[in-house]
Amino acid sequence: MGTARSGRSVTGQGLLGMAVAMGIGRFAFTPLMPVMMAGGVISRHEGAWIATVNYLGYLVGAVVLTLWPQINTRFSFRAWTVVVIVSEALMVPMDSLLGWSLLRFLAGYGSAVLFVGIASTVGAYLTRGASPGVAFGGVGVGIVIMGAFSLLAAGSLSWQQMWLGTAGISVVLAVGPWLLPVEPEARPIRRTDGQGRPTAAVRRIWMLLLSAYFLEGLGYIIIGTFIVAAVGTGSGVSAVVWIIAGLAAVPATFVYHRVAQRVPISRVLVVAYALQIGGSVLPAVTDATWAATVCAALYGGTFLGIAMMTTTQGRRLPVARSAAALTTAYSIGQVLGPLVVAPVIGQSYRTAFAIAAAVIAVGGVAMTWCALLIARHGEDG
């Protein structure tokens, strides 16, 4: 760890890195998919497939980092930053479902590399003042930027020009991840049962946390993939909905981080799940714009907080490489999400949101059980 590096600079670099990797690189397809659909180049089902392949790339990246954490180096981090940006620009000359899917796979893989690298580095600089809440807010910043770009450009630019603009925005923000000092995930302090294994209580807590996060990945990604498309492409409303999601996400992680300093993280997670469930139910019962708007606000205000607090809770458990393992479970859920709802999005998105609400509700039950065990066994920090 560099002696001159401050936690604040790492936080700022991590924020920009999250914007490039997640807010733009990962979620750029959400506001651009309806534009491509309106241009007649992809259908709803093809859009769901491209999104699924992107999430599959993220899954593969998370698994690779779980198996070989030593490849989480600064060189690899920078290389995949370049790949994410180039993949956005190359969406333009590609003219096939296979080509777009391949590029989104690479973007997904790169997003996982950057996410794990940023999370582990910010965690390593906590004692120097680094703030995970602020750094994770970069995802919301990227979402807002993409939403604003879509709002301003959708009426005058083609989908090809919008992809080029997306790549250009990523280049400007890439100074953050390019300067970030990449630190590996710290080894946990292990509490064992005397035979080198985590205690039975820890194993139960870990499995519930992992299960809840898997279900969150499956449910939240349905909302994140289709909330803009569900509103339609006939006006700027769809872009505004995505901007609202981003604006809610920007302060969310900071707020959750401050609240979690006073309230056990596991309890805050239960509340976050409940809020997200409430938001996802609304577009399942009505096609009204206000329902999509409220859903977007609650979605943006919870999904990043859940991700940040879950990985933080995981680090507090004596489980090796918990962040990478949790990210893997989350990613499997994300891959399954669009596939689960693909058969029902032909005419309406309502059923898709109903499925999302049900899945997240089951995850909320698992998280509540986990919180009760944590309170009983004192594993909250």
Side-chain angles (χ1 to χ4, degrees), residues 204-269:
R204 285 195 296 270
I205 291 169
W206 169 245
M207 291 308 301
L208 285 168
L209 187 68
L210 199 65
S211 299
Y213 203 44
F214 161 75
L215 292 166
E216 162 67 7
L218 197 160
Y220 106 95
I221 205 61
I222 296 172
I223 305 172
T225 301
F226 298 111
I227 187 64
V228 173
V231 177
T233 59
S235 67
V237 175
S238 58
V240 172
V241 166
W242 195 234
I243 291 172
I244 289 172
L247 288 174
V250 171
T253 50
F254 178 76
V255 171
Y256 282 120
H257 180 67
R258 294 299 295 270
V259 172
Q261 291 178 332
R262 297 169 175 79
V263 181
I265 287 178
S266 58
R267 297 181 189 176
V268 183
L269 275 166

Side-chain angles (χ1 to χ4, degrees), residues 180-205:
L180 188 77
V182 178
E183 297 284 343
E185 188 175 5
R187 293 182 178 274
I189 299 174
R190 301 185 64 84
R191 288 184 291 281
T192 67
D193 60 3
Q195 298 178 348
R197 300 174 300 180
T199 62
V202 167
R203 291 197 297 271
R204 285 195 296 270
I205 291 169

Side-chain angles (χ1 to χ4, degrees), residues 98-323:
L98 179 61
W100 290 322
S101 299
L102 175 61
L103 290 173
R104 296 308 294 159
F105 178 89
L106 292 173
Y109 186 101
S111 295
V113 173
L114 269 61
F115 179 87
V116 173
I118 293 168
S120 62
T121 302
V122 172
Y125 277 81
L126 286 176
T127 57
R128 299 194 179 192
S131 171
V134 175
F136 274 66
V139 182
V141 171
I143 290 175
V144 170
I145 290 173
M146 275 304 302
F149 175 59
S150 299
L151 180 63
L152 296 173
S156 57
L157 299 183
S158 66
W159 66 267
Q160 294 98 327
Q161 292 170 322
M162 291 186 71
W163 272 112
L164 288 177
T166 299
I169 293 170
S170 296
V171 169
V172 173
L173 299 176
V175 62
W178 196 260
L179 295 176
L180 188 77
V182 178
E183 297 284 343
E185 188 175 5
R187 293 182 178 274
I189 299 174
R190 301 185 64 84
R191 288 184 291 281
T192 67
D193 60 3
Q195 298 178 348
R197 300 174 300 180
T199 62
V202 167
R203 291 197 297 271
R204 285 195 296 270
I205 291 169
W206 169 245
M207 291 308 301
L208 285 168
L209 187 68
L210 199 65
S211 299
Y213 203 44
F214 161 75
L215 292 166
E216 162 67 7
L218 197 160
Y220 106 95
I221 205 61
I222 296 172
I223 305 172
T225 301
F226 298 111
I227 187 64
V228 173
V231 177
T233 59
S235 67
V237 175
S238 58
V240 172
V241 166
W242 195 234
I243 291 172
I244 289 172
L247 288 174
V250 171
T253 50
F254 178 76
V255 171
Y256 282 120
H257 180 67
R258 294 299 295 270
V259 172
Q261 291 178 332
R262 297 169 175 79
V263 181
I265 287 178
S266 58
R267 297 181 189 176
V268 183
L269 275 166
V270 172
V271 174
Y273 273 82
L275 290 173
Q276 193 175 98
I277 294 164
S280 59
V281 166
L282 294 176
V285 299
T286 176
D287 295 326
T289 301
W290 70 265
T293 302
V294 175
C295 176
L298 291 175
Y299 166 79
T302 55
F303 84 95
L304 280 178
I306 290 174
M308 181 192 72
M309 291 186 295
T310 300
T311 52
T312 300
Q313 183 67 69
R315 282 198 302 270
R316 293 180 176 183
L317 296 175
V319 177
R321 297 195 294 275
S322 62

Side-chain angles (χ1 to χ4, degrees), residues 311-378:
T311 52
T312 300
Q313 183 67 69
R315 282 198 302 270
R316 293 180 176 183
L317 296 175
V319 177
R321 297 195 294 275
S322 62
L326 285 165
T327 302
T328 299
Y330 194 61
S331 302
I332 293 173
Q334 289 178 130
V335 171
L336 294 177
L339 294 178
V340 168
V341 300
V344 301
I345 61 173
Q347 301 298 324
S348 172
Y349 291 100
R350 281 196 184 187
T351 305
F353 286 107
I355 293 172
V359 169
I360 298 169
V362 176
V365 171
M367 190 62 240
T368 302
W369 189 2
C370 180
L372 292 173
L373 289 178
I374 286 173
R376 182 184 303 170
H377 296 283

